Amino acid sequence: MTTTLLTAPAATVRRRRRTQRSWGSTALAVLFLAVMLFPVYWMVNVSLQRSGSAVATPWFPEHVSFHGYSTALHQQGRNLVTSLLVASGSVVFSLLLAAPAAYALAHFRVRFSNVFLFAILLSQMIPGIVVANALYTAYNDLGLLNSVPGLILADSTAGIPFAILIIRAFMGGIPRSVIEAARVDGAGHLRAFVSIVLPMSRNALITAALFTFLFAWADFLFALTLTTTESVRPVTLGLYSYIGTYVNDWSSVMATAVLASVPAIVLLVIAQKYVAAGTTGGAVK
Amino acid sequence: MADRPPLSGTTHAIPQPAGSTRTRPPAGAPGSPPAGDQGEGRRAGRRSLRRRERLAAAAFLLPAAAYMVLFFGYPVVKNFLMSFQKYSTSTFYTGEAPWVGLGNYRSVVHSSVFSKAMLNTALFTVGSIVGQFVIGLSLALFFRRRFPLSGVLRSLLLLPWLIPLIVSGAVWRWILDKDNGALNRFLAGVHLAPGHPGWLVTTSLALVAVILVNIWLGIPFNATILYGGLQDIPEELYEAASLDGATGWKAFRYVTWPLLRPVVSVVLVLGVVYTIKVLDIILGLTNGGPAHATETIATQSYHLSFQQFDFGQGAALGNILIAISLLFSVVYLRANRRAVDE
């Protein structure tokens, strides 16, 4: 008590000095962020220009025009729907497989759980091009090229291992006694899993779903290699074929880029509080 | 500490709590009391319970395991086999892929692009990792100091990471455009590089530009994970260190760095494993050009398989890529474990 009283004036002086210095830190951080986020700003800026082409694009969208967006929606609207279908399908499929596996790895002491976790880590070293190479020939035989289910299956290669790891880390924190109580009450393994474990893991499931969606939505490699026609074409590939040819309308290209980025950003803003809860549940551990 | 299970040797004297199927009974332990009829029956019951547990676990794990085998195991095996076959477009019609032994590897390694692609892969990976890590760590340390708005600014930093890679590629392609790109206009405006350098179309600049864009992409991931690692270091350690006179650089050298090491290992290993196989950003920015200036093993593998339709050679390069990243991880993790153990 006495010591705090004695040092009080010194502490306030120190605190004031620290606040002054910390506003300096804020300024520095804003400056750095401005540089980091310039490409994002530029994308939005160009997308709102009448037509960013031969002449230099103005630094600010003084005359806002939605010409880029109407062209983009007209030409890429279908691809956006395809992306949405593939990404949502991949979320459902990944969680359906990953959640039970994560539960088994977290709450059953089985010999092969270490083998399985090691396999997951190893799978991260396999380049996508190797998977695509082999899948192309297999898909060709199975008639899965240029199909939404084919892309869903392939795109889940990114989501499933990640979802297993993140959900397992979270489920490890659920007390065993809760599950055992349900088992004692006569619930089978499946019942305990569905009615006790899954509801308790909501945050982890939402986090895993979000990232699985982002992975599948951003997929470019499988779209590039496993589709050969325009019938089934995700927006990432639509954008690539835009920039692959000589570009004379950058505002439409950038409008497509914005449209392809929006779902990710919207989802993260909506799900942010679950993600924070889901990742602190031990995802990094 | 109090609820830790007693050391073995005393366990068999204490009755097993009901329902603790996870703790293995100390069967066959020397000096255990002879099992009576009742004990036999209970042990048998427990064994069948364990078997049922194992069956349930297998059922939960099976779908995911099957998927992993089909979409990771099968491609690796198939790719391995394909790399020894002449697997081309005609294979899709005739169904014949004659064995060529090491032929694919020979032609891939002896092709004029190979050594360039190897060098580019190394430069791209090392350059990207070093840049991302150094900037990411500096940012993580910077954001550790609490200042107004730090939380908001930190979450805004994630934005570049959320955008699909190919979108970033498209945006950067327009920023780095030789004639009308924002960068050259800015540089000309401040009289720094008035000659309008062709960032993506000049052989000497293209790789540098691609590495810089990839560094930009990797900063948020590095900063976020390293920041998380820093948060786990207890504040008391810094207080104790400062009493010993360790502040600033010394505190970093003797407190932060040793304690952050496990996180650093994870970030670096993951960084290399992911960077070595990057395709999107290179295809989006330069497509491996100009004149193979940005061609890496990964892009070359893609070009061989899906543009020249020589799947056998593409597979051979893919396998070389797997071997490199496997070798790297083993060597790195080994060296690191030894350092941690000491």
Side-chain angles (χ1 to χ4, degrees):
Chain A
M1 244 341 223
T2 44
T3 47
T4 43
L5 278 177
L6 279 173
T7 56
T12 39
V13 170
R14 209 180 305 141
R15 197 177 307 138
R16 197 176 304 145
R17 200 174 297 151
R18 196 176 293 165
T19 342
Q20 268 171 14
R21 203 181 41 197
S22 57
W23 276 109
S25 298
T26 308
L28 209 63
V30 168
L31 190 74
F32 183 80
L33 223 68
V35 176
M36 272 299 278
L37 296 187
F38 176 76
V40 182
Y41 166 73
W42 197 242
M43 170 173 80
V44 177
N45 175 36
V46 177
S47 76
L48 291 170
Q49 306 280 356
R50 204 161 299 151
S51 115
S53 61
V55 281
T57 318
W59 294 97
F60 305 100
E62 282 156 24
H63 309 284
V64 172
S65 152
F66 291 98
H67 141 83
Y69 284 91
S70 69
T71 315
L73 278 177
H74 181 69
Q75 291 175 356
Q76 303 276 356
R78 211 175 121 189
N79 299 343
L80 282 163
V81 174
T82 303
S83 282
L84 204 64
L85 280 177
V86 170
S88 318
S90 176
V91 168
V92 173
F93 181 73
S94 297
L95 288 191
L96 228 51
L97 266 61
Y103 176 61
L105 293 172
H107 275 281
F108 291 93
R109 189 166 283 182
V110 278
R111 249 174 289 142
F112 43 83
S113 71
N114 280 335
V115 179
F116 196 86
L117 285 171
F118 186 68
I120 288 181
L121 291 180
L122 225 76
S123 74
Q124 298 305 296
M125 286 180 195
I126 300 165
I129 186 67
V130 166
V131 178
N133 212 9
L135 281 189
Y136 181 84
T137 59
Y139 272 29
N140 188 51
D141 296 340
L142 297 168
L144 278 171
L145 289 177
N146 299 311
S147 75
V148 171
L151 280 178
I152 290 176
L153 286 170
D155 283 357
S156 300
T157 49
I160 286 181
F162 177 82
I164 291 177
L165 290 181
I166 206 162
I167 301 172
R168 170 184 167 268
F170 187 89
M171 284 181 177
I174 296 177
R176 232 189 128 62
S177 54
V178 176
I179 301 163
E180 266 160 16
R183 302 269 297 123
V184 167
D185 285 347
H189 280 293
L190 190 64
R191 180 85 189 283
F193 173 67
V194 171
S195 54
I196 306 288
V197 176
L198 282 187
M200 284 182 81
S201 316
R202 190 185 64 171
N203 289 341
L205 292 173
I206 291 176
T207 308
L210 177 78
F211 281 100
T212 311
F213 185 93
L214 292 184
F215 292 152
W217 178 272
D219 164 65
F220 166 69
L221 177 64
F222 292 125
L224 180 67
T225 52
L226 300 180
T227 67
T228 50
T229 61
E230 285 185 32
S231 59
V232 174
R233 170 168 289 185
V235 70
T236 47
L237 194 60
L239 188 65
Y240 180 66
S241 51
Y242 255 0
I243 58 172
T245 53
Y246 174 72
V247 185
N248 56 6
D249 182 8
W250 274 102
S251 60
S252 298
V253 177
M254 288 300 113
T256 308
V258 171
L259 291 175
S261 311
V262 160
I265 294 158
V266 168
L267 271 180
L268 193 82
V269 170
I270 294 172
Q272 202 165 30
K273 78 172 181 208
Y274 302 106
V275 172
T279 43
T280 48
V284 193
K285 280 166 195 149
Chain B
M1 271 306 203
D3 55 8
R4 191 182 279 180
L7 292 170
S8 64
T10 56
T11 33
H12 53 260
I14 292 163
Q16 292 284 324
S20 69
T21 46
R22 288 177 83 181
T23 44
R24 199 186 289 269
S32 59
D37 279 325
Q38 206 189 349
E40 274 293 317
R42 206 166 51 189
R43 197 169 295 167
R46 207 175 279 155
R47 208 178 300 138
S48 86
L49 204 72
R50 272 192 70 80
R51 191 173 337 125
R52 272 177 52 196
E53 285 260 297
R54 210 173 294 157
L55 273 176
F60 276 103
L61 213 47
L62 200 65
Y67 179 84
M68 295 294 284
V69 168
L70 281 177
F71 283 84
F72 286 106
Y74 167 77
V76 168
V77 174
K78 174 83 178 166
N79 219 61
F80 186 74
L81 295 175
M82 273 165 99
S83 71
F84 300 110
Q85 287 173 293
K86 178 110 198 78
Y87 213 110
S88 55
T89 7
S90 62
T91 307
F92 291 106
Y93 298 109
T94 60
E96 275 169 39
W99 298 92
V100 290
L102 290 171
N104 287 327
Y105 288 92
R106 219 171 288 134
S107 26
V108 158
V109 170
H110 288 152
S111 91
S112 55
V113 192
F114 183 75
S115 55
K116 182 135 195 76
M118 276 295 255
L119 182 66
N120 284 344
T121 306
L123 289 174
F124 179 76
T125 307
V126 172
S128 300
I129 297 291
V130 170
Q132 292 169 2
F133 180 77
V134 169
I135 300 176
L137 181 61
S138 318
L139 271 178
L141 288 167
F142 179 74
F143 273 105
R144 227 179 108 83
R145 310 156 56 174
R146 274 165 231 299
F147 51 84
L149 299 178
S150 63
V152 180
L153 295 174
R154 202 153 39 79
S155 52
L156 276 174
L157 185 66
L158 278 177
L159 218 54
W161 185 70
L162 287 176
I163 293 172
L165 282 177
I166 197 71
V167 170
S168 300
V171 176
W172 275 102
R173 194 164 158 149
W174 178 219
I175 290 175
L176 297 175
D177 186 79
K178 184 176 175 3
D179 298 319
N180 293 307
L183 182 66
N184 277 351
R185 277 173 55 207
F186 172 78
L187 289 177
V190 297
H191 303 291
L192 259 174
H196 279 241
W199 298 103
L200 298 173
V201 291
T202 313
T203 47
S204 55
L205 286 176
L207 189 65
V208 175
V210 172
I211 291 173
L212 286 177
V213 172
N214 199 48
I215 290 176
W216 176 81
L217 281 168
I219 289 172
F221 173 77
N222 277 264
T224 307
I225 304 287
L226 291 169
Y227 179 81
L230 288 176
Q231 292 302 98
D232 287 344
I233 301 177
E235 198 56 43
E236 298 90 65
L237 284 177
Y238 288 101
E239 284 162 19
S242 78
L243 289 179
D244 292 339
T247 51
W249 165 250
K250 272 189 176 165
F252 177 80
R253 172 72 183 78
Y254 294 107
V255 181
T256 312
W257 185 252
L259 286 169
L260 200 60
R261 237 197 133 110
V263 183
V264 170
S265 308
V266 171
V267 168
L268 289 182
V269 173
L270 282 184
V272 170
V273 165
Y274 288 133
T275 310
I276 210 166
K277 58 185 186 186
V278 162
L279 257 178
D280 313 36
I281 203 71
I282 296 177
L283 290 186
L285 281 172
T286 60
N287 200 16
H292 300 297
T294 55
E295 199 84 78
T296 61
I297 300 287
T299 60
Q300 181 62 10
S301 173
Y302 164 74
H303 286 137
L304 282 171
S305 285
F306 291 98
Q307 281 181 341
Q308 296 172 27
F309 296 108
D310 194 327
F311 287 87
Q313 288 195 23
L317 265 187
N319 288 337
I320 292 176
L321 202 57
I322 296 181
I324 294 173
S325 78
L326 212 64
L327 194 73
F328 166 82
S329 324
V330 170
V331 169
Y332 185 84
L333 288 174
R334 271 257 164 128
N336 215 57
R337 183 180 298 162
R338 207 169 301 141
V340 170
D341 285 346
E342 270 166 14

